[in-house]
Amino acid sequence: MNEPLPDPFADQPDWAPLPPRPIEVVPATARVELRGRRVLVGLPGLGWRGDLRADDRVVQGSRTYVPVIPEHEWYRAESDQVEVFAPLVPVERVWVETVGPRRPAGASPRHNGIRLVSLDAPAHRTPTPVFEADTVTGRRVVHVVQSVEHRDLRAVTETYSGADGDICVRVTPELEWYRWAWRGQSPTTLEVPVHLLWIE
């Protein structure tokens, strides 16, 4: 009877939920579905532009192109069923955001200060806890509830003290975020404690 009691929290994560899976960026030349996916366009050594969505590849002659639409226009086209202009970008200049595999705890250390990247391809992003960010309004966030990731959300406030004393941020689905811009229709929002939110 002198044996110690087993620890009920052994082999369990800390009080904080696991971070969401990271965004990884792959070339559009790979066999990956494009329609509706977030993409980046640019040239190695020059730079990258984001907040874009893609449509299915188009072949003209011997070249393959990707129709690329600014994200707010993509949401408007999908929501209102209207056609929008989509410039054709050569497939080799398009990179696709994909959700990568979950990394073991501690596998991707936090970088303090300057983080150097290669200019050969867009950099992979590690999810950042909202409580470590300097600003959050307008940023893409991931809400994690019991290891379920809710993506395609935008923060509509900075951190504030909620009614129950939690530090919170209000978030909205991206469709409502963009509808707010093109119709002026206020979004429905959800108050989320910061320990459940990551910047994507």
Side-chain angles (χ1 to χ4, degrees):
M1 293 304 285
N2 292 338
E3 294 178 19
L5 294 173
D7 182 356
F9 299 106
D11 301 323
Q12 297 286 331
D14 232 350
W15 64 270
L18 289 174
R21 294 168 292 162
I23 295 295
E24 293 186 352
V25 186
V26 299
T29 53
R31 291 284 173 213
V32 61
E33 182 68 31
L34 289 181
R35 174 145 175 67
R37 300 290 292 276
R38 283 196 171 99
V39 294
L40 297 123
V41 299
L43 288 169
L46 178 65
W48 310 99
R49 180 165 183 248
D51 290 329
L52 303 168
R53 296 278 181 152
D55 207 341
D56 291 325
R57 293 170 185 83
V58 173
V59 177
Q60 291 183 349
S62 62
R63 302 271 329 252
T64 303
Y65 298 92
V66 178
V68 175
I69 308 162
E71 193 166 57
H72 68 279
E73 287 290 295
W74 182 83
Y75 274 109
R76 189 171 67 85
E78 293 293 310
S79 172
D80 295 348
Q81 294 299 299
V82 296
E83 290 190 21
V84 295
F85 176 73
L88 299 177
V89 179
V91 70
E92 61 272 7
R93 293 186 182 184
V94 179
W95 296 72
V96 184
E97 290 189 9
T98 62
V99 178
R102 186 170 302 283
R103 295 194 177 121
S108 44
R110 303 293 321 152
H111 297 283
N112 293 329
I114 296 175
R115 179 177 75 114
L116 299 178
V117 299
S118 167
L119 294 181
D120 294 336
H124 299 280
R125 292 191 305 269
T126 302
T128 303
V130 163
F131 59 80
E132 291 181 13
D134 53 350
T135 64
V136 68
T137 301
R139 307 278 299 271
R140 288 167 36 188
V141 292
V142 182
H143 178 201
V144 179
V145 182
Q146 299 176 352
S147 76
V148 176
E149 299 170 6
H150 300 278
R151 295 180 180 266
D152 295 329
L153 300 170
R154 294 277 179 159
V156 296
T157 67
E158 294 298 328
T159 54
Y160 65 92
S161 180
D164 295 333
D166 287 336
I167 298 173
C168 299
V169 170
R170 294 198 80 80
V171 301
T172 191
E174 270 192 335
L175 172 60
E176 295 196 32
W177 168 259
Y178 286 115
R179 189 178 285 146
W180 192 13
W182 81 72
R183 287 191 188 156
Q185 180 179 336
S186 297
T188 56
T189 63
L190 175 67
E191 182 177 81
V192 180
V194 291
H195 70 276
L196 300 176
L197 280 177
W198 277 261
I199 293 175
E200 194 171 51

